[in-house]
Amino acid sequence: MRDLIRRNVPFAVVAAVALVAAPLLLEPFRLGLLAKYLCYAIVALGIGLAWGKGGMLTLGQGVFFGLGGYAMAMYLKLTEAGPGGLPDFMVWSGVEELPALWAPFASPVLALAMAVLAPVALAVVLGTLVFRQRVRGAYFAILTQALAAALVILLVGQQGLTGGTNGMTNFFELFGQDLAEDSTQRGLYLVTAGVLGVLYLATRQLVNSRFGRLLVAVRDGEDRVRFLGYDPALVKTVTFAISAGMAGLAGALFVPVVGIISPALLGVVPSLELVVAVAVGGRHALAGAVLGAVVMGYAKTAFSERFADGWLYLQGALFILVMTLAPKGIAGLLGRVRRARTA
């Protein structure tokens, strides 16, 4: 019991800071930025599960993030247009009738469900096809990266259906609440932080379960696990689908928090940035993945505000510095310090 309490103290402290201190101390603009970082942290948590625990380097989480984001954006645009109306970008593109694909997203329940189920379904299909063929390592990573590039091309080419290069923006209302109000944004932040906390606890429980131990065994010796009578393809597909569902949910939260979704936010580069963030935080620790996403998000904002011409170099230098001094990321470095203190 004492050990259980000791393990949960850090989580309780972080939760208290996130849910109580941050809304009280941060101005609305900064609180909105933190909410954005937490959206990315949800995606990073899924990457930490798939890559850190399962050995699946996925370079295309932007695909699932985008599916969730566009599902939520479609609902918000239909709410703004009203019954029988068309979203603004469709009017500009000369669309005269609402596409059949859009009609079901007038329901908030279906939109939220599709934000999670569509990424999960795509991940299940892709995982079944790929893992059954024993595709792994760099080949799997390249496949997911190619999927992200293909999705961007598809979205950009469908101007009248997706908003094209500009994507969708100008969202004004969510479930009857004005998105411009500070109270609404504060509520969105609390929801995002709460979702991240619940998902973290659930993922940690999954990793500590029999399934989690089997997942790590697949990562360390897939052929040995197969010879023992287990199905590594099924284990990897389920894990990949869970990480995709997390990314989709993060995308759905991201849209009302930030106010935009576009191909530029879900292509190859954003997907790589998320993987880099997980590496910086420490891919072998779930808390490290979350921490890395927040740290890299904050670093990107801080560097771009102070060094508009060279912030990318500074962000790259931060990555190199962390990887040089702490190959296992920030979480690995903290663990090493903690062991040194107890030795």
Side-chain angles (χ1 to χ4, degrees):
M1 183 66 179
R2 183 180 300 175
D3 186 57
L4 179 64
I5 295 175
R6 182 178 58 82
R7 287 203 312 267
N8 285 288
V9 165
F11 175 81
V13 172
V14 172
V17 171
L19 296 175
V20 180
L24 294 175
L25 299 177
L26 295 178
E27 60 186 34
F29 174 71
R30 297 297 172 185
L31 190 65
L33 287 177
L34 181 56
K36 181 174 74 170
Y37 305 154
L38 296 186
C39 290
Y40 288 140
I42 295 174
V43 186
L45 181 63
I47 296 175
L49 176 65
W51 182 30
K53 302 300 180 181
M56 294 171 281
L57 176 56
T58 170
L59 302 180
Q61 289 300 94
V63 172
F64 309 121
F65 181 82
L67 289 175
Y70 272 89
M72 175 57 73
M74 290 164 75
Y75 163 71
L76 294 177
K77 276 299 181 185
L78 289 175
T79 301
E80 173 196 333
L86 292 175
D88 49 11
F89 70 88
M90 287 188 182
V91 175
W92 304 334
S93 301
V95 177
E96 298 180 353
E97 185 178 352
L98 186 70
L101 176 65
W102 273 69
F105 287 89
S107 166
V109 175
L110 187 139
L112 286 171
M114 288 301 294
V116 177
L117 294 179
V120 168
L122 179 59
V124 168
V125 172
L126 181 63
T128 301
L129 294 175
V130 170
F131 297 135
R132 291 293 176 190
Q133 299 300 318
R134 302 187 185 181
V135 176
R136 65 182 87 169
Y139 299 102
F140 174 72
I142 293 171
L143 253 175
T144 55
Q145 189 177 55
L147 183 65
L151 179 64
V152 169
I153 294 172
L154 176 65
L155 292 173
V156 170
Q158 300 295 321
Q159 173 69 39
L161 191 64
T162 65
T165 304
N166 296 324
M168 302 184 212
T169 186
N170 295 328
F171 307 116
F172 302 107
E173 187 178 292
L174 174 66
F175 304 141
Q177 302 298 313
D178 186 356
L179 287 173
E181 292 290 334
D182 292 343
S183 59
T184 304
Q185 288 299 316
R186 190 178 301 110
L188 285 171
Y189 166 79
L190 292 174
V191 169
T192 304
V195 168
L196 174 59
V198 170
L199 288 177
Y200 173 79
L201 291 175
T203 306
R204 190 176 68 175
Q205 185 65 31
L206 178 67
V207 168
N208 292 331
S209 68
R210 181 182 177 186
F211 179 87
R213 293 191 292 271
L214 182 59
L215 177 62
V216 173
V218 170
R219 179 197 68 188
D220 295 339
E222 182 173 335
D223 292 333
R224 295 178 183 178
V225 172
R226 184 179 293 107
F227 293 150
L228 289 173
Y230 294 99
D231 186 357
L234 178 61
V235 174
K236 294 167 77 172
T237 299
V238 170
T239 305
F240 187 44
I242 292 172
S243 70
M246 289 185 189
L249 182 56
L253 292 168
F254 180 89
V255 169
V257 165
V258 179
I260 187 173
I261 188 71
S262 72
L265 295 170
L266 50 99
V268 173
V269 173
S271 297
L272 288 174
E273 288 180 342
L274 286 166
V275 171
V276 168
V278 172
V280 168
R283 70 184 179 97
H284 293 294
L286 297 176
V290 173
L291 177 63
V294 175
V295 167
M296 291 301 285
Y298 174 77
K300 185 175 183 178
T301 300
F303 290 154
S304 62
E305 287 178 345
R306 292 170 175 79
F307 308 99
D309 295 329
W311 66 271
L312 275 173
Y313 299 106
L314 294 173
Q315 190 176 26
L318 175 62
F319 171 66
I320 294 172
L321 181 65
V322 172
M323 291 295 97
T324 301
L325 299 178
K328 293 185 178 181
I330 298 173
L333 179 61
L334 294 176
R336 195 164 62 191
V337 171
R338 185 169 60 249
R339 287 192 297 271
R341 291 181 59 185
T342 57

